[in-house]
Amino acid sequence: MHITRISAYQVDLPLHEGSYNWSGGKSVSVFDSTLVRIDTDEGVTGWGEVCPLGPFYLPAYGQGVRAGIQELGPHLLGLDPTRLGPLNHRMDAALKGHPYVKSPIDMACWDLLGKVTGQPVVELLGGRFGDDVHLYRAISQESPEAMAGKVAGYRAEGYRRFQLKVGGTVEEDIRRIHAVAAELEESDILIADANTGWLRHEAARVVRAVADVDVYIEQPCEGYEACLSVRRHHTDHPFVLDESVDGLDMLLRAHADHAMDVVNIKISKFGGLTKALQARDLCASLGTAMTLEDSWGGDVTTAAIAALAHSTPPELLFTATDFNSYVTVSTAEGAPQRENGRMAASTAPGLGIEPRMDVLGDPVLVVE
Ligand code: MG
């Protein structure tokens, strides 16, 4: 079997809540997602998706996905898509870096491998644990009162883990954490994600002011050294690293430095399911808990997250994300649907999704 064509479809994903806001005034109201279709000489087709969190979260942006696929695609024609090792080797040889460009291609090849072997991707990634996985709900940055006011509705949807978007002013972030914490029940989990938005002195003030609150602190500052400094000198809160950990080298370094208690592994930040799987399994061996997700996405991304999360030992899965419930557009049938704050990976071969071609329209890019 070999790849005969790679096509990219651009889809706008608006949000049910109108906009998603996080540190430093960053905000997105319509996400620019790219679905990738890989066709083969045997007529089997695979699908992947990547959706950057706007152009100012990670070094990634929507148009960059398409430009990257235009560049990389010709190097992949003729390869066997079910051989993920040689495929990733070729991608890395043909294009330095740009993990987010490679991610939907790798994801589509896992979908193809599943279809060819008759196996759900969750089984190919190690096999499912239990019935389903629990999800967290991100609470977009607003006033402390507005954020606290969202908790009851999300709890009614079954969520028990809440990730506050902080990284605003010190005073307001302190009030955000206290206001939301006051709404929680005993077994709920609270995470304050500053998304690199604090300087070290600001992080120091926030963590001191919430010293009595049971809250996780996620990626307080820009840069690994700054986060490590906050961790070592200012707080004993449980600590999550995200933006600073984008590969196995940083994962090993952070582990050796005792720099984190939980790590956030995003599929496209690592470059696809193949590399996210390496990171997941390394963390499992090291005993490091994980949030497994992506930057953003719709139905296809959510299906891939479900496959990765559901094949992770439950005690090491801190949480995962159902992005398809945040957006108003469904791009595929068969994607996991949140049920009482939880979701399950598909039992159908591959990712178990069937794209809605009426939603996708014509490809914006075809390499053949
Ligand atoms: Mg984060």
Side-chain angles (χ1 to χ4, degrees), residues 57 163 193 195 218 242-243 264 266:
Y57 172 62
Q163 189 206 61
D193 188 354
N195 288 111
E218 180 162 340
D242 183 350
E243 286 90 330
N264 187 315
K266 292 182 161 72

Side-chain angles (χ1 to χ4, degrees), residues 211-231:
D212 60 335
V213 179
D214 183 5
V215 58
Y216 290 67
I217 302 298
E218 180 162 340
Q219 191 75 37
C221 302
E222 179 91 44
Y224 174 74
E225 297 292 344
C227 289
L228 186 60
S229 172
V230 171
R231 159 103 165 160

